[in-house]
Amino acid sequence: MTVYELHQLTKIYDERTVLDIPDLKIKENRIYSLLGPNGTGKTTLLNILGFLEPPSGGKITYRSKPVRFVESELQALRRDVILVDQFPILFTATVWKNLEFGLKVRKISKGKRTRMIQEALDLVGMRDFALAQAHKLSGGETQRVALARALALSPRVFLCDEPTSSVDVENQAIILNILKRINQTKRMTIVFTTHDRTQARTISDQTLVLDRGRLLEAGYDNIFSAVPDLNSLGETKCVIHPNISLLMDSHKIKPAKDRFRILIDPKQIHPLRKAGKEFPVNVLQGIVRQVVDENSKIRVVVDSGVRLILLMTEKTYRHSQIFVGDSITYYIPPQAIQAID
Amino acid sequence: MTVYELHQLTKIYDERTVLDIPDLKIKENRIYSLLGPNGTGKTTLLNILGFLEPPSGGKITYRSKPVRFVESELQALRRDVILVDQFPILFTATVWKNLEFGLKVRKISKGKRTRMIQEALDLVGMRDFALAQAHKLSGGETQRVALARALALSPRVFLCDEPTSSVDVENQAIILNILKRINQTKRMTIVFTTHDRTQARTISDQTLVLDRGRLLEAGYDNIFSAVPDLNSLGETKCVIHPNISLLMDSHKIKPAKDRFRILIDPKQIHPLRKAGKEFPVNVLQGIVRQVVDENSKIRVVVDSGVRLILLMTEKTYRHSQIFVGDSITYYIPPQAIQAID
Amino acid sequence: SEEKILKMSTTTSTQASGLLDVLLPELEKDTGIKVKVIAKGTGAAIRDGMDGNVDIIFVHAKAREEKFIQEGYGTKRYAVMHNDFVILGPPNDPAGINGLISAAEALKKIAAVKSAFISRGDDSGTHTKEQTLWKATGIPLEKKTDKIIKKGKKREITFVHPAESGQWYLSIGQGMGKTLTVADEKKAYTLADRGTFIKYKYGRDVPIELNVLCEGDPILANPYGVIPINPKKHSHVNYELAQAFAQWLVSDKGQSVIANYRLMGKQLFYPDAIK
Amino acid sequence: MDLLIDSFISAFFLIFSFDAEMIFIVGVSLKVSIASTLIAGIVGVPAGFMIAFESFPGKRIVITVLNTLLALPTVVIGLFVYTFISRRGIFGPFDLLYTQKAIIIGQVILIIPVVTVFTITAINRIDERYRKTAMTLGANRIQTAWVIFREARFGIIAAIIASFGRVISEVGISMMLGGNIKGFTRTMTTAMALEYDKGAFILSIALGIVLLGISFGMNMLFHFFQGRSRA
Amino acid sequence: MDLLIDSFISAFFLIFSFDAEMIFIVGVSLKVSIASTLIAGIVGVPAGFMIAFESFPGKRIVITVLNTLLALPTVVIGLFVYTFISRRGIFGPFDLLYTQKAIIIGQVILIIPVVTVFTITAINRIDERYRKTAMTLGANRIQTAWVIFREARFGIIAAIIASFGRVISEVGISMMLGGNIKGFTRTMTTAMALEYDKGAFILSIALGIVLLGISFGMNMLFHFFQGRSRA
Ligand SMILES: Nc1ncnc2c1ncn2[C@@H]1O[C@H](COP(=O)(O)OP(=O)(O)OP(=O)(O)O)[C@@H](O)[C@H]1O
Ligand SMILES: Nc1ncnc2c1ncn2[C@@H]1O[C@H](COP(=O)(O)OP(=O)(O)OP(=O)(O)O)[C@@H](O)[C@H]1O
Ligand SMILES: [Mg+2]
Ligand SMILES: [Mg+2]
């Protein structure tokens, strides 16, 4: 089932369009990660999905019913959907009272409430803080309590804005596991934002990438700002680093500007045994800094002055015998490069 | 030169000791990273180093002079040291005015001010937002402006509380580079907290690990909560996962408790070709999830039900032919395991 | 040339009746004296004089005025004018006092039927007069004593009012005008000076319904006096001007202005100095 | 200076004489002031909430008008209410004039703007995110308002305390609408005004001291109930 | 009801007659009220700052006392000031009684608690981190205070507006210390009280309407200077 359907959705702040989504479907019982640079509209989108802010234009349907942003109708919808803020606010009260709030609002009996609160606090490892004053907690503690407060309510849709940004590593893993688990056991739909791509890939079923308010199809891994290469004759080349000039597929270029941004599809970059004649251009060298297993894909981070990401199958990876610390050679096909905006 | 010297420093909140540091020296012109789980006292320590909160007990000297926490004396010290908060607050004014504040306070002339503000905004890539209302910025934008606001003042000591937690990947790299650069060019001493160990290792000269208010010598990588293994006879074993029971060096054990935490030194764990007779206990298997180059050490993350970190030289790494996705066998010597608290 | 400014505390009735509005311009024309008028309760006005805050007082409470002079605060009391008190009541006159001359008789009747009576209860000249009248009726009275401390010594202030007055005798502690308003609202009897009554009956946006039911008893006379403050007590006071003002008031000119003052065609005050 | 010392001693005697009239006057003052404050609170706090919460056309005008009404003179209120409740007014038959109820009506009008304006100010200062958080946790409008109220409570309590102070020390309305009738509507302030008019300054100040003492007591009580929740 | 309609019409005529006396009275009212508000602001805002900012023993008591002083009756203030500035008082020789200065002194005492209490409330509501941020950026105490002031300005402005409203509509102090002397200390409220005493209700209300109009104008001015900075 489709939970959300967005059509021609826009949000305008002070005459600036910060969100512009022609079409988006969010399906039930899946985990979505929302990636993108700062100020790209992630929080704005979550606020709209959480029915907390009206869009400036466009349509949203929630569970097949069109959403009208009228206070009286939103109330019921908000019972289904919970958003945990990027910098969450805890009420000036104890941690316990904070968790109790949503449950009381839902008229859950005292005994049940107590059980649910304890459960939720255990989940995020904050049971010892039940009676602490919430506004005195540390950054990570705050974030974890905010998560517990939302989890205690078992919503249909769970929206998390950078849920683990201030959480320690140990608890990051725990929280991600919780998200995964409640997604399965309670059939919860989850949308979360993050700047950690590995985290996104590891637990989400689908990654949405926002860039300047628009959804990108191609992913978010290799975005660079570029200038046209003025030395190139007849060819369309762009410079992304003093030493790196790349040939682009002219089909994928929009009208030339002074400065634009390109996106390189990490799946299309392949490592080479050594530089050869077959590929006269777009061959780079770099040192492997990191290799990560991401849901059966292998992600290789190469430092060539700029950091480039290569995404390959395990087979290719093993075959090319890539070790961290190695210097490797790789080829970027012109059609892998796309100019955005 | 030593910038800070801390002796018997404690901080007590509501009768709970959240910080207890017998001895700590922070040296000039170095970068320190401060790691540790949530609520461990990182922010508290930075607040004290920033002269923003008095300790409950103990002594601090700053540049060889003892610090008395008297408002009249702190004023001058605060001109030297700037703290960027974990959830920074921007004044309700434009971004420009926010950056101007510290400069005006320092009586810097208008022309110079303008130049410095523009420079700082450029550093964090926020020049386009100079005239935006600061309190309306997105999370990452806020963090970047707060950094710029501090950087514009070129302090002697720069304290950053999770400076990149909400910053996008592209800008994370940029900010870390800035820190590295100002450390070198302006001889700035930097202390920053983070939950990203790779980040910590990559840019810092020294890593400080706080755990429940105390400094740990051994590092922070493998901390697990454990219970004593009741099935073990005569030996001191602990269980950190239903399938993992580890023999500990009895010298390193404090009086047994129901539940305690252990720390496994990642440098002492070694991979084995295969399980053999030489090591009858503490041999585990796991799948390699990640390999990272960290300042000439290689960090390998292995998933054995719990995530364990192995830190090895490049030579050992290459020698043991570890590929991401491999299942490997490794040995944890009992003396690598230490019970904490 | 220095401005001749005189400060005077007076009771509200001289100001509220409008008399000062005709008197003072004439004064200024003749003598060049400008008067700063501070209108308040008789008690407070006398107090102002004792404290030396003003140069002259213009009040109506003969006994207290004499005491004031005895204690040396004032030099001399000039009898300026009088009007008279009247007993007012609602048109239906439940106590049946209409046409009575004897004020004591009227009050006795009111007490007998326990018809509502509003007392100023503010220790003013009118209130003092009212107490005298109650004493004259011979009905049982109650005494109420307030203790205060003055210069470390206890002093007592005593009032009388009809005994068992409970619901019908209402002491409101306010000025004459408000007393009339309350009496009108409550359809009650009250004692008032004629000047204020005329003002409220004929010169007001919302006239009162009360009528004069008892008048003409000699005991109801209400004399006003002015007293310059004694420069021996307060050296800063402008005794010369005060003296000049008092003299002018009792002069033929001053007295005729008072005699000719009309409100709604009715004479409010009767000059006392020329006779 | 003598006056002040005398006044303090008199105040002391006044209090410890347990004079029946005195106790009655204090009782009227307290009763009337508490009632006015409560009613104004019940009307003004929600009104302030609504105004601060909702966006509607003319919101800024409403706020400016409320600010203007802070300057509503007691004489105007007195006369205004008077025209309605005097025997000739439309509420004449209820016989309200010169009763404690009349004072309460006037005082409520006096302080509703105070309560409302300061409620608006207190609410406006609360971070928008508290509201957002309450809403996303499923709170309806009233529950959301309650959350904001809790966060803004110190500002609102300050407004209530200020209003109480305003009415218990108020004299114009009490005088005009209550009539200062001894044994019925005489309050501490009208009694003070009376003593002042009589020139009995000592008694007047003594009454004032008693009034402040009572107000202090009320404030301590407030503090006590408020508890250490501030911390 | 007629009364009210008549009053409005009279108010209209009053304003557009540009009567010299009327203009003078309005002038005195404005002058005195603005002066009192300014002085009280200059004293009360920093005082409120200090109290909210510093921790010192007895802080809670100080706040409770200030709250108590919100209930300071005008009669008490009037008498209190009277004892100092009357001819027999220590400031007698300055001849202050029954001058505009005397009114200002009394009104300042009246509203200093209001300004102070609401400044404290406004400051307390500001997140501690603003102060911390200002300090770490190198601000000294005064500069830090300025930051907090900027963040709290709506609360403080509300306090100032309320205080202005309080004094321009105040009658007791103006009457007792000013004396309602025509051409010298007659203010709009004392004029209203006088007209009321005379039974000229219409004129009294009309004056009240003029007063509200002026207060409205002042508020608009405030809004204007405050600009859209709120947004
Ligand atoms: N209330 C507002 N008024 C004006 N501009 C706003 C407002 N809220 C957000 N913006 C702007 O809209 C853009 C999108 O903001 P948003 O918070 O959605 O970004 P984001 O993707 O969540 O970024 P981050 O990763 O930094 O959290 C930003 O440039 C921000 O400055
Ligand atoms: N003002 C306060 N009153 C009481 N307890 C406090 C206060 N401030 C912090 N604490 C407690 O002190 C402990 C240390 O807090 P601190 O903010 O230093 O942690 P941290 O290491 O920065 O954690 P995080 O990674 O979550 O930011 C926490 O348990 C916190 O709850
Ligand atoms: Mg965001
Ligand atoms: Mg922290």
Side-chain angles (χ1 to χ4, degrees):
Chain A
M1 192 185 179
T2 308
V3 185
Y4 291 99
E5 266 186 78
L6 277 55
H7 286 293
Q8 307 296 352
L9 192 97
T10 58
K11 179 78 193 182
I12 297 168
Y13 280 127
D14 305 338
E15 293 167 24
R16 193 159 62 93
T17 304
V18 299
L19 209 57
D20 180 3
I21 300 180
D23 258 300
L24 176 63
K25 277 190 184 138
I26 306 274
K27 301 219 184 74
E28 198 169 26
N29 196 22
R30 301 185 85 185
I31 302 186
Y32 291 82
S33 57
L34 187 55
L35 295 172
N38 292 139
T40 211
K42 301 184 297 296
T43 300
T44 309
L45 178 57
L46 289 191
N47 278 335
I48 294 173
L49 295 181
F51 309 118
L52 295 166
E53 241 176 82
S56 307
K59 269 198 284 185
I60 307 182
T61 63
Y62 173 72
R63 296 170 70 81
S64 311
K65 281 193 216 81
V67 177
R68 296 198 311 145
F69 274 79
V70 185
E71 207 48 45
S72 54
E73 296 186 13
L74 292 177
Q75 164 78 51
L77 295 176
R78 288 198 196 114
R79 289 275 164 107
D80 270 17
V81 181
I82 294 186
L83 167 67
V84 178
D85 253 327
Q86 185 166 6
F87 303 119
I89 278 224
L90 300 180
F91 303 132
T92 314
T94 61
V95 168
W96 186 272
K97 287 250 168 68
N98 264 279
L99 266 78
E100 205 173 23
F101 180 79
L103 296 166
K104 261 188 172 166
V105 153
R106 283 170 177 72
K107 303 212 167 59
I108 287 167
S109 73
K110 173 121 199 218
K112 226 167 148 192
R113 236 154 53 200
T114 307
R115 204 171 37 70
M116 290 165 97
I117 294 171
Q118 278 170 349
E119 232 174 72
L121 284 178
D122 277 344
L123 277 181
V124 299
M126 288 294 292
R127 193 182 199 149
D128 293 348
F129 287 81
L131 296 180
Q133 287 297 320
H135 53 285
K136 290 183 183 168
L137 295 181
S138 80
E141 288 165 353
T142 303
Q143 213 164 28
R144 282 150 65 185
V145 170
L147 273 167
R149 182 171 63 179
L151 286 174
L153 305 176
S154 310
R156 268 225 176 92
V157 180
F158 193 37
L159 310 168
C160 305
D161 206 354
E162 309 195 11
T164 59
S165 62
S166 299
V167 173
D168 60 40
V169 190
E170 204 177 325
N171 282 292
Q172 268 181 33
I174 293 174
I175 287 169
L176 294 178
N177 277 333
I178 296 170
L179 291 186
K180 198 97 199 152
R181 208 171 68 221
I182 54 171
N183 167 247
Q184 281 155 13
T185 58
K186 304 198 176 170
R187 298 190 56 79
M188 220 179 260
T189 309
I190 298 175
V191 185
F192 72 100
T193 67
T194 182
H195 291 296
D196 183 339
R197 293 161 203 185
T198 306
Q199 187 178 90
R201 289 238 179 65
T202 321
I203 77 154
S204 68
D205 302 310
Q206 189 173 334
T207 298
L208 305 171
V209 179
L210 267 182
D211 185 74
R212 309 202 175 177
R214 268 164 291 153
L215 284 172
L216 286 190
E217 296 300 317
Y220 168 51
D221 278 307
N222 297 316
I223 294 179
F224 300 100
S225 65
V227 289
D229 188 344
L230 301 173
N231 301 325
S232 66
L233 289 165
E235 289 169 320
T236 332
K237 279 183 147 187
C238 67
V239 181
I240 61 169
H241 184 262
N243 307 329
I244 308 178
S245 174
L246 295 173
L247 178 68
M248 298 171 72
D249 185 351
S250 47
H251 297 296
K252 296 211 170 176
I253 294 196
K254 301 191 186 162
K257 278 196 283 183
D258 259 15
R259 181 169 268 282
F260 53 103
R261 294 191 312 151
I262 61 161
L263 193 152
I264 305 173
D265 184 354
K267 290 196 221 72
Q268 295 188 48
I269 310 179
H270 20 263
L272 305 173
R273 283 279 150 157
K274 61 176 186 289
K277 276 271 153 69
E278 334 101 283
F279 301 111
V281 290
N282 288 10
V283 172
L284 302 178
Q285 277 213 327
I287 295 167
V288 177
R289 289 293 177 201
Q290 200 169 340
V291 180
V292 189
D293 177 10
E294 274 180 1
N295 264 357
S296 78
K297 275 266 195 291
I298 302 291
R299 166 200 182 83
V300 177
V301 182
V302 183
D303 188 349
S304 308
V306 295
R307 291 200 156 213
L308 260 156
I309 286 153
L310 284 61
L311 217 53
M312 52 188 83
T313 58
E314 218 177 310
K315 212 174 118 196
T316 324
Y317 162 62
R318 280 180 187 282
H319 181 71
S320 28
Q321 288 270 331
I322 293 175
F323 279 102
V324 170
D326 280 358
S327 173
I328 65 162
T329 310
Y330 56 95
Y331 169 63
I332 305 173
Q335 66 274 18
I337 306 173
Q338 187 186 342
I340 51 178
D341 68 50
Chain B
M1 190 183 179
T2 309
V3 184
Y4 292 98
E5 266 187 79
L6 277 55
H7 287 291
Q8 308 295 354
L9 192 96
T10 57
K11 180 77 192 182
I12 298 169
Y13 279 128
D14 306 338
E15 294 167 24
R16 192 158 64 93
T17 304
V18 297
L19 209 57
D20 180 3
I21 299 180
D23 258 300
L24 176 63
K25 277 189 183 139
I26 306 273
K27 300 219 185 72
E28 199 169 25
N29 196 21
R30 303 185 83 184
I31 303 186
Y32 292 82
S33 57
L34 187 56
L35 294 173
N38 291 139
T40 212
K42 300 184 296 297
T43 300
T44 309
L45 178 57
L46 288 191
N47 279 336
I48 294 174
L49 294 181
F51 308 117
L52 295 166
E53 240 176 84
S56 308
K59 269 197 285 187
I60 307 183
T61 63
Y62 174 73
R63 297 169 68 81
S64 312
K65 282 195 216 79
V67 177
R68 297 198 310 143
F69 274 79
V70 186
E71 207 49 43
S72 54
E73 297 186 13
L74 292 177
Q75 164 77 52
L77 295 176
R78 290 199 194 112
R79 288 275 165 108
D80 270 19
V81 180
I82 294 187
L83 167 67
V84 178
D85 253 327
Q86 185 166 6
F87 302 119
I89 278 224
L90 300 180
F91 303 132
T92 315
T94 60
V95 168
W96 186 273
K97 286 248 169 67
N98 264 278
L99 267 78
E100 206 173 24
F101 180 79
L103 295 167
K104 261 188 171 166
V105 154
R106 284 169 177 73
K107 302 210 168 58
I108 287 168
S109 72
K110 175 118 200 224
K112 224 167 149 192
R113 235 154 53 200
T114 306
R115 204 172 36 72
M116 291 165 96
I117 295 170
Q118 277 170 349
E119 232 174 73
L121 284 177
D122 277 344
L123 277 182
V124 299
M126 289 293 292
R127 193 180 200 152
D128 292 348
F129 287 82
L131 296 180
Q133 287 295 320
H135 53 285
K136 288 183 184 169
L137 295 181
S138 79
E141 288 165 353
T142 303
Q143 213 164 26
R144 282 152 64 185
V145 170
L147 272 167
R149 183 172 61 180
L151 286 174
L153 305 176
S154 311
R156 267 225 177 92
V157 181
F158 193 37
L159 309 169
C160 306
D161 206 355
E162 309 195 13
T164 59
S165 62
S166 299
V167 173
D168 60 40
V169 189
E170 203 176 325
N171 282 291
Q172 268 180 34
I174 293 174
I175 286 169
L176 294 178
N177 277 333
I178 296 170
L179 292 185
K180 197 98 199 152
R181 208 172 68 220
I182 55 172
N183 167 248
Q184 282 155 13
T185 58
K186 304 197 175 171
R187 298 189 57 76
M188 219 178 262
T189 309
I190 298 175
V191 184
F192 74 99
T193 67
T194 182
H195 290 298
D196 184 337
R197 293 161 201 183
T198 305
Q199 187 178 89
R201 288 236 179 66
T202 320
I203 77 154
S204 68
D205 301 310
Q206 190 175 334
T207 298
L208 305 171
V209 179
L210 267 182
D211 185 74
R212 307 200 176 180
R214 269 165 290 155
L215 284 172
L216 286 190
E217 298 300 319
Y220 166 53
D221 277 307
N222 296 315
I223 294 179
F224 299 100
S225 64
V227 289
D229 187 343
L230 300 173
N231 300 325
S232 67
L233 288 163
E235 290 168 319
T236 333
K237 281 185 147 186
C238 66
V239 181
I240 62 168
H241 183 262
N243 306 327
I244 308 178
S245 172
L246 295 173
L247 178 67
M248 299 171 72
D249 185 353
S250 48
H251 298 296
K252 297 212 167 174
I253 295 197
K254 301 191 185 161
K257 279 195 283 181
D258 258 15
R259 180 169 269 281
F260 54 103
R261 293 190 314 149
I262 61 163
L263 191 152
I264 305 175
D265 185 352
K267 290 195 222 72
Q268 295 188 48
I269 311 179
H270 21 262
L272 304 173
R273 284 277 152 160
K274 59 174 188 286
K277 276 272 149 70
E278 334 103 279
F279 302 111
V281 289
N282 289 10
V283 173
L284 301 178
Q285 278 213 327
I287 293 167
V288 177
R289 290 293 178 198
Q290 199 168 343
V291 180
V292 188
D293 178 10
E294 273 180 0
N295 263 357
S296 78
K297 276 265 193 295
I298 302 292
R299 166 199 181 83
V300 177
V301 182
V302 182
D303 187 350
S304 307
V306 296
R307 288 200 160 215
L308 259 155
I309 285 153
L310 285 60
L311 217 53
M312 52 187 84
T313 58
E314 216 177 310
K315 212 174 117 198
T316 325
Y317 161 63
R318 280 181 189 280
H319 181 70
S320 30
Q321 288 270 329
I322 292 173
F323 279 101
V324 171
D326 278 358
S327 174
I328 65 162
T329 310
Y330 55 95
Y331 169 63
I332 306 174
Q335 66 273 18
I337 306 174
Q338 187 187 340
I340 51 177
D341 67 50
Chain C
S1 68
E2 203 183 304
E3 276 211 318
K4 296 196 211 166
I5 292 179
L6 184 71
K7 276 195 270 184
M8 173 174 81
S9 275
T10 180
T11 61
T12 39
S13 53
T14 55
Q15 189 177 49
S17 64
L19 173 66
L20 292 180
D21 292 335
V22 300
L23 207 54
L24 297 183
E26 288 296 324
L27 170 78
E28 195 177 343
K29 230 189 285 168
D30 288 358
T31 63
I33 298 174
K34 277 189 181 152
V35 182
K36 282 185 171 178
V37 177
I38 297 141
K40 38 174 71 176
T42 300
I46 290 176
R47 180 73 195 226
D48 256 346
M50 291 163 76
D51 286 352
N53 293 322
V54 291
D55 305 310
I56 193 165
I57 58 175
F58 189 175
V59 293
H60 61 123
K62 202 167 172 193
R64 289 167 71 175
E65 288 165 46
E66 276 156 3
K67 188 162 162 255
F68 185 79
I69 290 167
Q70 238 171 35
E71 288 170 1
Y73 291 110
T75 49
K76 177 170 190 266
R77 176 178 189 274
Y78 294 82
V80 178
M81 61 188 192
H82 74 268
N83 63 358
D84 60 344
F85 292 110
V86 291
I87 295 176
L88 306 174
N92 63 346
D93 188 17
I97 62 166
N98 197 359
L100 283 182
I101 302 291
S102 164
E105 193 65 22
L107 287 189
K108 207 167 171 179
K109 279 192 148 182
I110 292 168
V113 300
K114 295 195 189 307
S115 190
F117 183 91
I118 309 293
S119 164
R120 280 183 67 171
D122 61 354
D123 200 22
S124 59
T126 314
H127 186 209
T128 310
K129 179 68 70 183
E130 182 204 316
Q131 292 177 69
T132 318
L133 293 179
W134 284 117
K135 281 179 194 154
T137 59
I139 62 170
L141 296 179
E142 248 169 41
K143 226 188 197 179
K144 160 89 173 95
T145 307
D146 283 341
K147 292 187 206 68
I148 58 165
I149 305 298
K150 204 161 182 181
K151 301 237 160 76
K153 271 181 275 172
K154 271 193 200 182
R155 294 253 304 252
E156 297 192 340
I157 301 175
T158 306
F159 299 100
V160 295
H161 61 79
E164 288 162 21
S165 51
Q167 299 283 323
W168 64 272
Y169 180 90
L170 301 176
S171 170
I172 69 164
Q174 299 199 66
M176 196 67 255
K178 281 170 205 141
T179 304
L180 290 181
T181 317
V182 176
D184 183 48
E185 183 71 27
K186 296 251 173 206
K187 295 192 158 111
Y189 292 95
T190 192
L191 180 74
D193 69 280
R194 193 182 290 275
T196 312
F197 166 72
I198 290 173
K199 176 96 190 165
Y200 273 65
K201 181 81 182 173
Y202 304 107
R204 208 172 83 128
D205 297 337
V206 188
I208 54 174
E209 286 175 357
L210 302 177
N211 293 322
V212 175
L213 299 178
C214 168
E215 60 186 329
D217 191 333
I219 197 176
L220 290 177
N222 178 26
Y224 284 74
V226 300
I227 306 174
I229 306 304
N230 191 345
K232 286 182 191 138
K233 274 265 180 200
H234 295 289
S235 56
H236 61 270
V237 297
N238 203 331
Y239 182 66
E240 234 168 87
L241 283 191
Q243 196 67 20
F245 174 56
Q247 299 290 353
W248 183 84
L249 267 187
V250 298
S251 72
D252 289 355
K253 176 70 189 294
Q255 293 284 296
S256 76
V257 173
I258 290 168
N260 291 326
Y261 178 59
R262 293 284 186 283
L263 188 70
M264 305 298 137
K266 302 208 176 340
Q267 182 170 359
L268 290 187
F269 298 103
Y270 301 89
D272 270 349
I274 42 166
K275 215 165 229 178
Chain D
M1 291 316 303
D2 282 355
L3 181 71
L4 293 181
I5 295 163
D6 288 349
S7 304
F8 268 97
I9 299 169
S10 304
F12 188 81
F13 276 109
L14 260 184
I15 295 166
F16 292 100
S17 67
F18 297 110
D19 176 42
E21 196 186 325
M22 178 75 191
I23 290 170
F24 179 82
I25 290 176
V26 170
V28 173
S29 272
L30 277 180
K31 196 169 126 196
V32 166
S33 310
I34 290 173
S36 315
T37 310
L38 278 183
I39 295 171
I42 289 167
V43 178
V45 172
F49 251 93
M50 297 287 276
I51 294 166
F53 240 55
E54 312 290 334
S55 11
F56 51 89
K59 175 165 169 168
R60 307 192 90 214
I61 290 293
V62 168
I63 293 176
T64 308
V65 166
L66 280 169
N67 272 324
T68 303
L69 291 182
L70 293 176
L72 206 54
T74 48
V75 184
V76 172
I77 296 174
L79 272 170
F80 180 79
V81 175
Y82 180 93
T83 55
F84 282 97
I85 65 172
S86 90
R87 265 193 299 126
R88 287 166 235 213
I90 28 175
F91 299 118
F94 295 107
D95 208 9
L96 287 170
L97 194 59
Y98 305 130
T99 63
Q100 296 177 12
K101 288 199 194 88
I103 306 181
I104 294 173
I105 293 170
Q107 290 188 337
V108 165
I109 294 175
L110 177 71
I111 55 170
I112 276 185
V114 179
V115 177
T116 310
V117 164
F118 281 105
T119 301
I120 293 173
T121 312
I123 301 293
N124 273 344
R125 188 63 233 174
I126 302 300
D127 196 315
E128 180 58 22
R129 287 179 297 163
Y130 282 96
R131 185 179 175 181
K132 196 178 140 191
T133 304
M135 290 199 310
T136 196
L137 292 175
N140 61 25
R141 296 183 72 69
I142 294 177
Q143 290 156 336
T144 304
W146 176 244
V147 167
I148 305 292
F149 175 80
R150 277 217 33 175
E151 298 294 336
R153 66 185 178 282
F154 293 108
I156 294 170
I157 287 174
I160 302 277
I161 292 179
S163 301
F164 177 77
R166 180 80 183 88
V167 292
I168 201 169
S169 64
E170 184 283 325
V171 59
I173 290 171
S174 307
M175 198 62 114
M176 285 171 71
L177 298 177
N180 187 26
I181 301 174
K182 187 167 154 185
F184 293 90
T185 56
R186 183 160 295 172
T187 64
M188 295 209 279
T189 51
T190 58
M192 282 161 69
L194 171 60
E195 297 305 334
Y196 167 76
D197 265 350
K198 287 195 216 164
F201 292 1
I202 293 175
L203 208 59
S204 186
I205 294 194
L207 272 163
I209 291 168
V210 174
L211 189 151
L212 284 181
I214 287 168
S215 163
F216 186 77
M218 293 288 290
N219 271 296
M220 294 297 280
L221 225 74
F222 242 136
H223 256 294
F224 179 77
F225 281 120
Q226 206 170 290
R228 271 177 301 272
S229 65
R230 187 53 166 286
Chain E
M1 292 314 304
D2 281 355
L3 183 70
L4 293 180
I5 295 162
D6 288 351
S7 303
F8 268 97
I9 297 168
S10 306
F12 188 82
F13 278 111
L14 258 185
I15 296 166
F16 292 100
S17 66
F18 297 111
D19 176 43
E21 196 186 326
M22 177 75 189
I23 290 170
F24 178 82
I25 290 175
V26 170
V28 173
S29 273
L30 276 180
K31 196 171 128 196
V32 167
S33 310
I34 290 173
S36 316
T37 310
L38 278 183
I39 296 171
I42 289 167
V43 177
V45 172
F49 250 93
M50 297 285 275
I51 294 167
F53 239 54
E54 311 290 333
S55 11
F56 52 88
K59 176 166 168 165
R60 305 192 91 214
I61 290 294
V62 169
I63 294 177
T64 308
V65 167
L66 281 169
N67 272 324
T68 302
L69 292 182
L70 293 176
L72 207 53
T74 49
V75 183
V76 171
I77 297 174
L79 274 171
F80 181 79
V81 175
Y82 180 96
T83 56
F84 284 96
I85 66 173
S86 104
R87 268 298 169 170
R88 288 198 202 164
I90 29 176
F91 301 116
F94 296 107
D95 209 10
L96 287 168
L97 193 60
Y98 306 133
T99 64
Q100 295 178 12
K101 288 198 194 91
I103 305 181
I104 293 173
I105 293 171
Q107 290 187 339
V108 166
I109 295 175
L110 177 71
I111 56 171
I112 275 184
V114 179
V115 177
T116 310
V117 163
F118 281 105
T119 301
I120 294 173
T121 312
I123 301 292
N124 274 343
R125 189 62 234 176
I126 302 301
D127 197 315
E128 180 57 22
R129 286 179 298 161
Y130 281 96
R131 184 178 175 182
K132 198 178 139 192
T133 304
M135 290 197 312
T136 198
L137 292 175
N140 61 25
R141 295 183 72 66
I142 294 178
Q143 290 157 335
T144 304
W146 176 245
V147 168
I148 305 292
F149 176 80
R150 277 216 33 175
E151 298 294 336
R153 65 186 179 284
F154 293 108
I156 293 171
I157 287 174
I160 302 278
I161 292 179
S163 301
F164 177 78
R166 180 81 183 86
V167 290
I168 201 168
S169 65
E170 184 282 326
V171 61
I173 290 172
S174 308
M175 195 64 110
M176 285 171 70
L177 298 176
N180 188 26
I181 302 173
K182 189 168 156 185
F184 292 88
T185 56
R186 184 160 295 169
T187 64
M188 292 206 277
T189 51
T190 58
M192 281 161 69
L194 176 61
E195 296 306 333
Y196 169 76
D197 264 352
K198 288 195 202 160
F201 293 178
I202 292 174
L203 205 59
S204 186
I205 294 193
L207 272 163
I209 292 167
V210 174
L211 190 151
L212 285 181
I214 286 168
S215 163
F216 186 77
M218 294 288 289
N219 271 297
M220 292 298 280
L221 224 74
F222 243 135
H223 256 292
F224 179 76
F225 280 121
Q226 207 170 291
R228 270 177 303 271
S229 65
R230 189 52 168 284

